[in-house]
Amino acid sequence: EIVLTQSPGTLSLSPGERATLSCRASQSVGSSYLAWYQQKAGQAPRLLMYGTSYRATGIPDRFSGSGSGTDFTLTISRLEPGDFAVYYCQHYGSSSWTFGQGTKVEIK
Amino acid sequence: QVQLVQSGAQVKKPGASVKVSCKASGYTFTDYYLHWVRQAPGQGLEWMGWIDPKTGVTNYAQKSQGRVTMSRDTSISTVYMDLSSLGSDDTAVFYCARNIAVPIPFSRSYFYYFDSWGQGTLVTVSS
């Protein structure tokens, strides 16, 4: 079973700063099967990225994704107030799904 | 538009079972798998399994096997998640989510991800 490890656990940044979130897989995974979700307090998760680097409908271009093999990154180029939330990476493989434990992006 | 509407919050005693429903609308119910994801208070997301609404075939995460049963009623476009032998560590918000498969350009494969989520159902296990 593939394990996804996200780092850091918490990222303290100011609006306008750049956020770089990491998702590391325990073994090489297909980049087509790596997605990112944003979850705000009290809300259901929302799809941000799929296939590592494809933005979901309505997601602004300040969000970008990259990576391959075991290392994947979600970058938020300039944080806006609504971006402070928890972010999860997710992998699909062999009919099973796995989430990372999440990275909280908080206001510094 | 796609909507997944879940049943309301429940309080259960240890050892009991809980059944949560998820009603789909805005698309053809049998065209997409539906998944269940749990989230304990202050914790991350945990995938529990999926059901194919067309066939009723299920696939459960290893951790969920033995205690979870997913089912569907196609006549009312609803899937259910039944969790038995509840313990206090089962207190969580349970989400249903739609799994979409999008063809990858110039490939025979697909992107897989969850494009729509229910609002969540809080299940509290307490004596």
Side-chain angles (χ1 to χ4, degrees):
Chain A
E1 179 184 317
I2 289 175
V3 176
L4 299 178
T5 302
Q6 293 186 239
S7 61
T10 301
L11 204 47
S12 299
L13 295 167
S14 301
E17 289 194 296
R18 181 185 189 90
T20 303
L21 288 67
S22 172
C23 175
R24 179 161 290 178
S26 57
Q27 58 187 276
S28 184
V29 301
S31 59
S32 300
Y33 308 126
L34 198 288
W36 290 90
Y37 298 83
Q38 176 194 68
Q39 186 180 35
K40 298 180 180 178
Q43 296 184 18
R46 176 176 75 142
L47 176 70
L48 287 179
M49 313 288 299
Y50 63 93
T52 297
S53 59
Y54 292 79
R55 276 185 297 277
T57 304
I59 302 304
D61 60 7
R62 65 176 184 277
F63 290 89
S64 63
S66 63
S68 63
T70 59
D71 292 309
F72 298 86
T73 301
L74 175 70
T75 302
I76 311 171
S77 59
R78 295 172 308 280
L79 283 165
E80 294 194 358
D83 299 337
F84 292 92
V86 181
Y87 293 82
Y88 295 94
C89 58
Q90 178 203 48
H91 173 256
Y92 162 73
S94 302
S95 296
S96 292
W97 301 74
T98 307
F99 289 96
Q101 83 279 18
T103 290
K104 181 179 183 179
V105 179
E106 65 176 23
I107 299 176
K108 187 174 180 181
Chain B
Q1 76 283 17
V2 175
Q3 273 199 303
L4 299 174
V5 178
Q6 299 182 222
S7 49
Q10 300 188 52
V11 179
K12 294 292 182 180
K13 292 196 183 302
S17 296
V18 68
K19 191 167 190 172
V20 181
S21 68
C22 170
K23 182 174 177 60
S25 62
Y27 71 97
T28 302
F29 177 65
T30 51
D31 280 355
Y32 300 93
Y33 287 18
L34 284 165
H35 297 243
W36 289 93
V37 176
R38 68 189 280 171
Q39 186 170 39
Q43 302 301 308
L45 304 172
E46 179 189 346
W47 177 74
M48 299 180 69
W50 55 254
I51 181 167
D52 177 355
K54 180 181 292 184
T55 63
V57 170
T58 56
N59 181 41
Y60 304 138
Q62 198 162 4
K63 187 178 177 183
S64 299
Q65 281 183 8
R67 288 205 300 135
V68 70
T69 303
M70 297 177 189
S71 58
R72 93 289 192 211
D73 185 338
T74 55
S75 68
I76 55 171
S77 300
T78 299
V79 296
Y80 302 93
M81 189 280 299
D82 217 308
L83 188 62
S84 63
S85 303
L86 292 169
S88 57
D89 58 349
D90 288 315
T91 293
V93 175
F94 293 83
Y95 294 101
C96 60
R98 188 178 81 156
N99 169 196
I100 191 166
V102 175
I104 299 174
F106 312 110
S107 165
R108 295 181 186 177
S109 191
Y110 292 80
F111 295 123
Y112 294 93
Y113 50 89
F114 297 173
D115 72 329
S116 298
W117 295 68
Q119 83 276 19
T121 297
L122 174 62
V123 174
T124 302
V125 182
S126 173
S127 55

